[in-house]
């Protein structure tokens, strides 16, 4: 017989499925205007907080200069607000960055899961097609192997019978 290589017709389906999974995952990503809006809100919040902290630091300093507030209290108030602002501003920016990272990782995990499922299905299909194409040859090899094993057993029985017969002849001739 002739060997016909298997035709994996599902590879085009796999390609279109992978494309669809990537497009679906990419459609869940925020678009440029959503990202820009989110970053703009964060920057406005940061700028507003910065103005409030700087303004709050200026008020006690001004009151201290005008002798309305004790200098020590003014310095403590200004320093406290500066430290508070120095802590709050980076925390807000980190929160925005971590929310972007979380969104991207969620979409990446969804894409990875979808692609993994698609490739597992494709590998299963390829294995079954290979098994189907090799099955007739496997059956032939098994049948021939069984036939050779049976022939070997018959040959061993014949040799054993021949040795037994030779022994009997040798005993009879002595």
């Amino acid at each position: 017989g002739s060997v016909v290589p298997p035709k994996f017709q599902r590879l085009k389906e796999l390609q279109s499925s992978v494309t669809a999974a990537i497009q679906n995952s990419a459609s869940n990503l925020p678009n440029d205007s959503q990202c820009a809006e989110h970053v703009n809100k964060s920057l406005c919040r940061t700028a507003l907080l910065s103005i409030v902290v700087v303004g709050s630091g200026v008020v006690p300093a001004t009151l201290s200069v005008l002798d309305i507030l004790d200098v020590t209290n003014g310095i403590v108030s200004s320093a406290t607000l500066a430290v508070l602002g120095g802590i709050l501003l980076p925390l807000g920016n980190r929160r925005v960055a971590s929310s972007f990272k979380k969104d991207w990782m969620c979409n990446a995990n969804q894409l990875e899961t979808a692609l993994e499922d698609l490739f597992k299905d494709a590998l299963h299909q390829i294995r079954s097609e290979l098994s189907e194409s090799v099955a007739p040859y496997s059956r032939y090899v098994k049948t021939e192997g069984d036939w050779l094993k049976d022939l070997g057993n018959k040959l061993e029985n014949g040799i054993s019978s021949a040795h037994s017969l030779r022994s009997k002849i040798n005993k009879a001739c002595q």
Side-chain angles (χ1 to χ4, degrees):
S2 64
V3 176
V4 178
K7 293 180 175 70
F8 300 113
Q9 295 145 351
R10 288 185 42 112
L11 287 180
K12 290 206 184 272
E13 292 174 27
L14 175 65
Q15 180 183 5
S16 63
S17 297
V18 167
T19 303
I22 291 172
Q23 287 173 344
N24 183 32
S25 180
S27 70
N28 292 332
L29 295 173
N31 60 30
D32 290 342
S33 64
Q34 289 172 329
C35 288
E37 182 180 322
H38 199 59
V39 170
N40 189 32
K41 281 182 185 178
S42 175
L43 290 175
C44 288
R45 190 179 311 122
T46 301
L48 183 61
L49 186 58
S50 177
I51 289 170
V52 169
V53 170
V54 169
S56 299
V58 170
V59 169
T62 305
L63 292 176
S64 295
V65 169
L66 297 175
D67 286 334
I68 298 173
L69 187 65
D70 183 33
V71 174
T72 307
N73 288 338
I75 291 173
V76 169
S77 298
S78 295
T80 303
L81 290 172
V83 168
L84 182 65
I87 292 171
L88 290 179
L89 292 177
L91 287 177
N93 292 338
R94 278 194 207 125
R95 186 180 59 80
V96 170
S98 70
S99 78
F100 274 118
K101 183 178 179 181
K102 179 182 166 189
D103 291 344
W104 278 96
M105 292 308 294
C106 180
N107 286 321
N109 289 337
Q110 288 174 351
L111 178 61
E112 183 178 354
T113 302
L115 291 176
E116 187 175 310
D117 291 344
L118 285 171
F119 286 122
K120 280 182 183 177
D121 181 50
L123 285 174
H124 175 71
Q125 185 66 29
I126 289 170
R127 282 186 186 124
S128 64
E129 287 181 17
L130 281 173
S131 294
E132 288 174 17
S133 65
V134 171
Y137 304 105
S138 298
R139 284 192 301 272
Y140 173 77
V141 168
K142 183 183 181 321
T143 303
E144 290 297 310
D146 291 345
W147 178 75
L148 286 173
K149 196 181 289 182
D150 186 45
L151 187 62
N153 288 339
K154 287 180 183 177
L155 186 59
E156 284 180 22
N157 288 339
I159 291 172
S160 176
S161 295
H163 283 300
S164 174
L165 185 61
R166 180 178 282 162
S167 268
K168 289 179 185 177
I169 291 173
N170 283 342
K171 282 185 185 179
C173 289
Q174 289 178 1

